[in-house]
Amino acid sequence: MHAIEVTETSGPEVLRYVDAAGSVYRTRPLRLHFIRTRDEFTWRTDQLFDAIATGTVKVNVSSRFALKDAAQAHRYLEGRRGVGSVVLTP
């Protein structure tokens, strides 16, 4: 079994479950493992934003908070209440 840790929010709960499976190794990929130059980064982000704009990639926004409510947004994230992106709006 191979677990890929994508963000900090995968946290110890997920890792305990994975550890219980036995014969496991974990990978935590970083951008620098896949994108080496600024030009490549720009090219790939352009591809991503084009895919979002055309609907090929869907972005799941679980919640929106006013910027003045950033502390509340942090509590929301810390409580692991959302699935998807949390957006701060001006």
Side-chain angles (χ1 to χ4, degrees):
M1 175 184 240
H2 183 181
I4 299 173
E5 183 180 353
V6 178
T7 67
E8 292 295 327
T9 58
S10 52
E13 292 80 10
V14 171
L15 298 179
R16 270 197 300 271
Y17 167 77
V18 169
D19 287 341
S23 189
V24 172
Y25 64 95
R26 289 179 265 197
T27 302
R28 184 157 187 198
L30 301 173
R31 180 186 57 80
L32 64 92
H33 293 146
F34 302 97
I35 300 173
R36 303 265 183 214
T37 66
R38 175 77 181 160
D39 288 341
E40 184 180 6
F41 178 76
T42 301
W43 169 66
R44 291 189 184 277
T45 53
D46 286 346
Q47 283 187 314
L48 174 62
F49 291 132
D50 288 345
I52 292 168
T54 62
T56 302
V57 171
K58 305 267 190 245
V59 177
N60 178 17
V61 177
S62 66
S63 296
R64 295 177 192 274
F65 293 88
L67 186 56
K68 67 179 179 61
D69 298 324
Q72 182 182 351
H74 279 276
R75 286 190 295 274
Y76 179 84
L77 290 168
E78 289 168 353
R80 298 178 186 240
R81 290 182 265 169
V83 176
S85 299
V86 174
V87 177
L88 295 175
T89 57

